[in-house]
Amino acid sequence: MSRLKLFVATLKWHGIKLLEKQDIARRVFLHGQRYVSSGTSEPFLSASNSNYVEEMYYAWLENPKSVHKSWDVFFQNANAGQAYDPHLPDQLERKASFLQSHGLAQTPGKAEKLVEDHLAVQSLIRAYQIRGHHVAQLDPLGILDADLDSFVPSDLITTIDKLGFYGLHESDLDKVFQLPTTTFIGGSENSLSLREIIKRLENTYCQHIGLEFMFINDVEQCQWIRQKFETPGVMKFTNEEKRTLLARLVRSMRGRLNVLANVIRKELEQIFCQFDPKLEAADEGSGDVKYHLGMYHERINRATNKKITLSLMANPSHLEAVDPVVQGKTKAEQFYRGDTAGKKVMSILLHGDAAFAGQGVVYETFHLSDLPSYTTNGTIHVVVNNQIGFTTDPRMARSSPYPTDVARVVNAPIFHVNADDPEAVMYVCSVAAEWRNTFNKDVVVDLVCYRRRGHNEMDEPMFTQPLMYKQIHKQVPVLKKYADKLIADGTVTLQEFEEEIAKYDRICEEAYTRSKDNKILHIKHWLDSPWPGFFNVDGEPKSMSCPPTGISEDLLTHIGNVASSVPVKDFKIHAGLSRILRARLEMTKNRVVDWALAEYMAFGSFLKEGIHVRLSGQDVERGTFSHRHHVLHDQEVDKRTCVPMNHLWEQQAPYTVCNSSLSEYGVLGFELGFAMASPNALVCWEAQFGDFHNTAQCIIDQFISSGQAKWVRHNGIVLLLPHGMEGMGPEHSSARPERFLQMSNDDSDAYPEFSEQFEVSQLYECNWIVVNCSTPANYFHVLRRQILLPFRKPLIILTPKSLLRHPEAKSSFDEMVSGTTFQRVIPENGLAAHAPHEVKRVIFCTGKVYYDLVKERKNQDLEKQVAITRLEQISPFPFDLLKEELEKYPGADLVWCQEEHKNSGYYDYVKPRFRTIVNHTRPIWYVGREPAAAAATGNKNTHLVSLRRFLDTAFNLEAFEGKTF
């Protein structure tokens, strides 16, 4: 082995790269570039190395198994079929036979030249496989290099004189060479002339298809791609396939709505009626422009005669934002079908070139592709590369050679194709689909094309791209190009082509005529994620009511006991975790819960009812604050884990808890998509700290807040946002509740009419629900209510940090048993409530500050004079319950107290609504921190001083005397 290692080192020194397989059966693959030193180039094998080759050859003649397998393969190839024959009399005769068959007759120089030339040819083949895409004819306009680089790799034989790079000459062109096992250009032939080798490499790698795949570190996958593209004659189509392709081109020339019309097969009249400005909207909400709408449709696959369901996701103008949403919905559809291998459901993502390179969410989405709880078993990415981003040239829009280079990070093969060659496009897409089905990995199809007109109907591209658009105006459309080609080769006649055009024109005209009969626009017809049967019972709409959210005490006890145990034998947990579990068991015996146990109770109760629960986010398995511990880790067996939640009952829904990648934008989008697939699941995303949600602001603004209004799409996703001013600094304090409240759609000036079902009706009308619970029991109930409601709304929960272990922040089973429910407002229930006419001040608050206020009130002995009422559900605003509270204390000052700064938090939201309740007859005074640019201070002393200041103001009963409002 020492001589073999020496030879490997020598080969590497001369620029020959070795790609190894495992263990002893390692194959040597040779790289095409020489080692160059001090301006001079050395041959592939020096004299000393050629001696070593000769020694290897002699050893192989004696016994082929005595040498490395790579040498065995090489000598068999070089021997031109004269493999080892044990009947040859001796080594000399064998050597003579080998050398004489190659015309070398004992001449060492010629033997060395033979080895060098074969190595050179292998290197040449590899060079085309690696860099052939750089010179492929990809741009239909012929004016740009698709890779932003006009450099032609020096190791590609673009001219005859470049043969010298490999030590070859024009006289070698007709010499026959054995082909290595790393190419399929020979088809059934094992050897070809150099001239034919170059020709076939040019046809495979340098025409209308450019392949990037040699960076993939899996040899089997590389071989698969080589075979699909190198094998002679693979890209042959029958006349029937060509005619079908022509017919599809005829239908697709309508442009922007092509996917809706021809892929999803949306009814044409429904598309056309969207262009009528007089059409009246039948559904509530704002609607959206036709290009953003989604669609859900079941159609027949004519090739297999099987039904296929297609869902086109509605999406905003924020490019690529929909990518993780599609992936999440795909994952959910696979999950509910038990499709663990991705054989029943798959996703196709359509991208633009500028956005694919420029938007960071593309990278985030790629990095979810192989994570166990996020993989969709491969996605086909189709990049519509029109070589421009609105008005920006590619060379100003990206630093990478191709817009698709981001895909290399996950070893996804990239197939560039000239989109003016329909057959090449069709073949590449077919291979991409087969790749995904074979390897369950992502693949990218880069359709290099051009934008015939401007970015939109009113855009004039000649302002900024005059030369490009002069060429485009001269460009023959792809339909005519392909039709002329088929007419020329006799596949179709001119009459047949014209009849196909006339046929589709007639279909469109008839659909357009029918569309004029439509007077009402139904946005729900464009719904991308329908939930059949969810909104109705026996054909009738569900009752607008919500049952009590409590559960039986037996159920609470059972879940608490499992949450306190390790339900797997011989599983050693950490000593610190043992203490946590013992504390849980003690709480269960004492019929109380803390925050973590209340969450356990809510999740566990759903699993018994067949409701899937999924919790995702950064570090959610343990919990950022080490409070959850839903995944136990064996301290002695690596990677052995246990999820007690999945051991509650023999027949239960599965519980999924998964630490995510360090991404908010991509992961929140993914979970939103997961929640779209079914209403019968509780899907939660937890931010590591509440303010981290702002890196996912696009998902929140464009999908969660407005999704139902734009696309009639219900969604019950839950956002868990740790929040609280605790002196931890500006970045770990505020979940920015003011932003969610500012986007809430309830009217601050409209005094509602109260009815028996006011709570549920109000929830139905809102765009999302914002809560800040102060007790574990209320947290339990709001999670339960989320599923028991007869509809779905996003739920934003401002979750605690210090309250997770606060001794007062515990709840009794009595607050969670059957018959109990979520409290939108928790009124004062102490001494002040017993004599409300003696109360001088009512402090309204929400969240953690309640505990600071209660403690300070007790310290100042003001429990009779000051009432404290907690607002648990902030939006939609509980007008009805707060009206009762205000009327209970007619002579008291009204104060809103918050720990957040005045220009953040809740004050700007609650103030006008309180004033609406009292008809502007009583002021609602502000107590809290002063306005500030940063969300919180990073200085602990400053934090405590500001806390002391606003607590003093809150209980200074003369603070607002003489002030006007």
Side-chain angles (χ1 to χ4, degrees):
M1 280 299 291
S2 60
R3 294 295 301 274
L4 179 59
K5 289 180 180 177
L6 175 63
F7 181 61
V8 168
T10 306
L11 287 179
K12 285 185 176 179
W13 176 255
H14 288 281
I16 300 174
K17 182 180 178 183
L18 299 181
L19 298 178
E20 299 176 331
K21 274 194 170 180
Q22 294 180 350
D23 302 326
I24 201 70
R26 295 181 176 178
R27 179 176 303 282
V28 178
F29 293 92
L30 304 169
H31 191 281
Q33 293 189 346
R34 294 167 176 258
Y35 169 74
V36 179
S37 176
S38 304
T40 61
S41 61
E42 295 183 8
F44 282 103
L45 292 177
S46 64
S48 61
N49 290 333
S50 65
N51 290 339
Y52 183 70
V53 172
E54 189 173 36
E55 289 180 27
M56 288 291 101
Y57 179 62
Y58 287 145
W60 177 78
L61 286 174
E62 183 68 24
N63 180 4
K65 293 184 179 180
S66 68
V67 299
H68 191 272
K69 187 177 180 181
S70 58
W71 283 116
D72 182 29
V73 172
F74 175 77
F75 289 132
Q76 287 192 47
N77 287 340
N79 224 19
Q82 296 182 26
Y84 168 68
D85 183 357
H87 300 294
L88 287 177
D90 54 42
Q91 288 183 355
L92 293 176
E93 289 190 27
R94 293 176 209 166
K95 178 186 177 187
S97 174
F98 171 72
L99 297 175
Q100 192 171 19
S101 67
H102 289 81
L104 301 178
Q106 305 269 352
T107 306
K110 290 187 178 181
E112 182 179 333
K113 180 68 165 67
L114 174 68
V115 174
E116 287 186 5
D117 287 353
H118 273 81
L119 292 176
V121 169
Q122 291 193 29
S123 300
L124 170 65
I125 293 170
R126 186 172 176 81
Y128 273 91
Q129 292 170 340
I130 295 173
R131 285 178 289 281
H133 58 88
H134 287 295
V135 294
Q137 300 169 26
L138 298 177
D139 181 14
L141 302 176
I143 59 176
L144 291 175
D145 293 292
D147 63 350
L148 298 186
D149 193 349
S150 58
F151 171 75
V152 177
S154 57
D155 52 354
L156 300 182
I157 310 302
T158 52
T159 56
I160 294 299
D161 62 306
K162 289 196 174 183
L163 285 170
F165 181 88
Y166 293 96
L168 298 169
H169 306 281
E170 188 172 357
S171 59
D172 295 318
L173 285 173
D174 295 314
K175 188 182 294 183
V176 175
F177 290 87
Q178 289 289 320
L179 296 173
T181 57
T182 55
T183 186
F184 295 86
I185 58 173
S188 60
E189 302 173 88
N190 293 324
S191 59
L192 293 172
S193 68
L194 179 58
R195 188 186 306 277
E196 187 64 20
I197 288 172
I198 294 172
K199 177 184 174 183
R200 295 191 184 188
L201 291 172
E202 289 280 334
N203 287 338
T204 299
Y205 292 104
C206 305
Q207 299 304 308
H208 287 167
I209 298 174
L211 305 174
E212 287 188 273
F213 67 97
M214 291 292 283
F215 53 82
I216 297 174
N217 52 22
D218 187 298
V219 175
E220 178 191 357
Q221 293 174 8
C222 289
Q223 284 288 78
W224 189 92
I225 294 173
R226 291 183 188 114
Q227 185 174 24
K228 290 296 177 184
F229 288 97
E230 291 183 352
T231 304
V234 288
M235 216 171 76
K236 297 290 185 184
F237 295 92
T238 66
N239 286 346
E240 183 59 32
E241 289 172 329
K242 292 178 182 179
R243 285 191 288 267
T244 300
L245 180 52
L246 181 65
R248 296 291 179 266
L249 277 175
V250 168
R251 290 172 176 252
S252 68
M253 289 299 284
R254 290 180 55 250
R256 293 176 70 171
L257 298 171
N258 177 43
V259 173
L260 272 174
N262 295 313
V263 178
I264 307 298
R265 297 294 173 88
K266 177 74 173 174
E267 293 87 348
L268 291 176
E269 55 265 38
Q270 288 194 23
I271 295 176
F272 290 143
C273 75
Q274 288 278 320
F275 290 86
D276 186 351
K278 299 178 182 178
L279 212 58
E280 180 182 346
D283 304 295
E284 298 176 359
S286 62
D288 203 348
V289 297
K290 60 187 85 50
Y291 309 111
H292 291 174
L293 297 175
M295 181 60 191
Y296 183 91
H297 186 62
E298 190 177 82
R299 55 168 288 194
I300 296 291
N301 182 339
R302 298 300 178 188
T304 63
N305 212 32
K306 292 182 178 179
K307 288 184 178 180
I308 180 171
T309 300
L310 300 171
S311 177
L312 176 68
M313 299 293 288
N315 62 97
S317 288
H318 296 64
L319 299 174
E320 307 294 341
V322 78
D323 295 356
V325 183
V326 172
Q327 299 299 75
K329 186 181 178 190
T330 303
K331 181 66 174 179
E333 297 287 0
Q334 291 175 346
F335 175 83
Y336 295 126
R337 287 170 171 77
D339 183 19
T340 56
K343 300 301 182 184
K344 298 177 182 177
V345 183
M346 66 171 287
S347 56
I348 301 174
L349 287 175
L350 193 63
H351 310 271
D353 55 318
F356 198 65
Q359 293 292 331
V361 71
V362 175
Y363 184 87
E364 292 187 36
T365 304
F366 267 115
H367 270 282
L368 297 177
S369 65
D370 207 28
L371 302 182
S373 296
Y374 302 88
T375 182
T376 58
N377 300 287
T379 296
I380 297 177
H381 301 264
V382 179
V383 179
V384 181
N385 182 358
N386 56 29
Q387 308 180 81
I388 191 172
F390 201 163
T391 67
T392 304
D393 289 336
R395 58 183 175 270
M396 304 299 175
R398 66 177 188 264
S399 297
S400 59
Y402 292 103
T404 53
D405 287 331
V406 64
R408 296 168 69 106
V409 300
V410 292
N411 277 337
I414 303 165
F415 304 150
H416 308 280
V417 59
N418 186 320
D420 260 16
D421 184 342
E423 291 181 9
V425 171
M426 187 174 176
Y427 184 73
V428 160
C429 290
S430 175
V431 172
E434 194 175 347
W435 163 273
R436 188 268 176 194
N437 191 54
T438 303
F439 297 107
N440 295 114
K441 290 176 63 70
D442 285 28
V443 57
V444 176
V445 176
D446 178 23
L447 299 177
V448 185
C449 52
Y450 58 91
R451 190 184 65 196
R452 182 160 286 279
R453 297 178 180 85
H455 180 76
N456 54 44
E457 291 82 354
M458 297 170 287
D459 187 38
E460 175 48 78
M462 289 289 286
F463 287 155
T464 52
Q465 277 76 32
L467 297 182
M468 171 185 270
Y469 273 85
K470 283 179 184 177
Q471 180 61 38
I472 289 174
H473 293 155
K474 295 184 217 172
Q475 193 80 359
V476 178
V478 62
L479 174 60
K480 187 175 188 318
K481 276 186 182 179
Y482 192 58
D484 290 346
K485 177 178 179 290
L486 296 191
I487 291 169
D489 64 23
T491 303
V492 297
T493 65
L494 176 59
Q495 180 180 351
E496 289 171 331
F497 172 54
E498 291 174 342
E499 287 175 352
E500 188 66 41
I501 293 177
K503 173 185 173 184
Y504 194 59
D505 282 346
R506 187 165 57 252
I507 291 172
C508 291
E509 286 293 340
E510 292 172 356
Y512 179 65
T513 301
R514 291 193 301 272
S515 74
K516 293 179 180 179
D517 296 332
N518 291 329
K519 305 300 180 185
I520 298 176
L521 170 63
H522 293 278
I523 302 174
K524 63 186 178 184
H525 290 166
W526 298 76
L527 188 60
D528 58 16
S529 303
W531 294 336
F534 173 69
F535 297 100
N536 299 286
V537 177
D538 297 328
E540 295 295 324
K542 283 184 177 178
S543 170
M544 274 298 162
S545 62
C546 181
T549 48
I551 59 177
S552 70
E553 181 156 347
D554 288 345
L555 196 55
L556 291 171
T557 302
H558 174 74
I559 297 172
N561 288 336
V562 174
S564 310
S565 67
V566 182
V568 176
K569 292 182 179 180
D570 303 321
F571 194 99
K572 184 174 178 60
I573 61 174
H574 191 275
L577 185 55
S578 296
R579 289 194 296 272
I580 292 173
L581 297 187
R582 286 196 298 270
R584 283 184 185 172
L585 183 60
E586 190 65 23
M587 282 192 290
T588 302
K589 290 179 180 178
N590 294 331
R591 301 179 67 253
V592 297
V593 297
D594 62 5
W595 217 269
L597 193 51
E599 180 183 77
Y600 219 110
M601 302 289 194
F603 287 179
S605 66
F606 284 137
L607 300 180
K608 181 175 177 58
E609 296 165 10
I611 301 295
H612 171 55
V613 178
R614 177 181 170 94
L615 173 62
S616 165
Q618 295 157 22
D619 310 298
V620 297
E621 295 179 6
R622 190 203 72 173
T624 298
F625 309 102
S626 196
H627 68 288
R628 183 172 286 127
H629 296 287
H630 283 190
V631 178
L632 310 181
H633 293 259
D634 194 310
Q635 299 295 298
E636 295 181 348
V637 182
D638 187 35
K639 299 179 182 178
R640 187 185 183 208
T641 60
C642 170
V643 180
M645 194 88 75
N646 281 321
H647 295 266
L648 287 166
W649 295 277
E650 287 188 9
Q651 299 295 324
Q652 66 167 76
Y655 173 54
T656 302
V657 56
C658 43
N659 291 341
S660 73
S661 64
L662 202 64
S663 155
E664 289 82 28
Y665 191 168
V667 173
L668 178 55
F670 187 98
E671 300 308 328
L672 176 75
F674 199 102
M676 283 179 190
S678 171
N680 299 314
L682 183 71
V683 180
C684 306
W685 174 77
E686 182 175 73
Q688 193 171 61
F689 287 92
D691 55 331
F692 290 178
H693 75 74
N694 59 15
T695 63
Q697 200 68 48
C698 180
I699 298 296
I700 293 170
D701 291 357
Q702 308 311 131
F703 292 88
I704 301 177
S705 168
S706 56
Q708 183 179 348
K710 293 192 292 187
W711 307 316
V712 202
R713 175 203 282 163
H714 283 236
N715 196 293
I717 190 169
V718 178
L719 273 62
L720 304 176
L721 308 177
H723 171 84
M725 307 293 112
E726 291 160 356
M728 295 182 67
E731 274 72 56
H732 294 110
S733 299
S734 177
R736 294 294 189 180
E738 66 275 6
R739 296 182 179 172
F740 295 97
L741 297 174
Q742 186 266 334
M743 288 189 284
S744 297
N745 68 350
D746 61 331
D747 190 344
S748 63
D749 300 321
Y751 191 78
E753 294 184 8
F754 303 133
S755 64
E756 184 178 349
Q757 297 298 334
F758 175 73
E759 175 186 354
V760 177
S761 298
Q762 194 184 31
L763 293 172
Y764 181 77
E765 297 295 332
C766 75
N767 61 319
W768 57 18
I769 305 164
V770 182
V771 303
N772 188 354
C773 300
S774 62
T775 70
N778 236 15
Y779 178 50
F780 163 86
H781 284 298
V782 80
L783 290 173
R784 293 271 305 159
R785 186 183 72 171
Q786 185 70 356
I787 293 297
L788 295 179
L789 285 170
F791 47 81
R792 293 291 174 263
K793 298 286 179 175
L795 173 61
I796 316 301
I797 305 181
L798 303 169
T799 57
K801 295 177 291 183
S802 61
L803 290 191
L804 295 173
R805 295 177 176 83
H806 196 291
E808 301 299 320
K810 288 186 169 63
S811 297
S812 166
F813 278 16
D814 294 336
E815 302 170 61
M816 302 165 66
V817 294
S818 301
T820 58
T821 189
F822 175 69
Q823 294 180 274
R824 292 176 291 150
V825 172
I826 301 181
E828 171 65 54
N829 61 0
L831 295 176
H834 298 147
H837 289 278
E838 298 178 13
V839 171
K840 297 185 177 179
R841 176 166 295 174
V842 181
I843 300 177
F844 295 92
C845 64
T846 186
K848 179 181 73 70
V849 74
Y850 166 77
Y851 293 91
D852 296 320
L853 290 169
V854 168
K855 181 180 179 182
E856 185 64 22
R857 181 178 64 174
K858 184 176 182 180
N859 290 341
Q860 296 196 25
D861 195 23
L862 292 173
E863 291 169 302
K864 289 184 178 180
Q865 295 97 321
V866 178
I868 302 175
T869 295
R870 285 169 275 176
L871 190 58
E872 301 282 292
Q873 176 180 297
I874 308 157
S875 179
F877 198 68
F879 285 96
D880 53 336
L881 299 180
L882 289 174
K883 180 176 182 293
E884 293 176 8
E885 284 297 292
L886 292 169
E887 292 174 347
K888 187 189 299 182
Y889 305 101
D893 289 341
L894 305 181
V895 168
W896 175 261
C897 182
Q898 63 180 40
E899 59 179 354
E900 297 82 3
H901 292 282
K902 188 175 183 180
N903 59 327
S904 57
Y906 323 90
Y907 181 61
D908 286 341
Y909 177 84
V910 302
K911 178 182 177 181
R913 288 164 176 81
F914 271 113
R915 297 185 68 179
T916 295
I917 295 175
V918 298
N919 197 22
H920 300 270
T921 59
R922 298 168 70 183
I924 177 82
W925 301 108
Y926 170 78
V927 172
R929 291 184 167 93
E930 295 298 313
T937 179
N939 183 283
K940 189 70 173 180
N941 182 64
T942 302
H943 166 76
L944 294 175
V945 168
S946 61
L947 173 63
R948 178 75 265 155
R949 185 181 296 123
F950 81 70
L951 288 176
D952 287 344
T953 304
F955 293 99
N956 180 358
L957 301 184
E958 299 177 354
F960 304 109
E961 286 186 2
K963 291 189 176 182
T964 59
F965 67 96

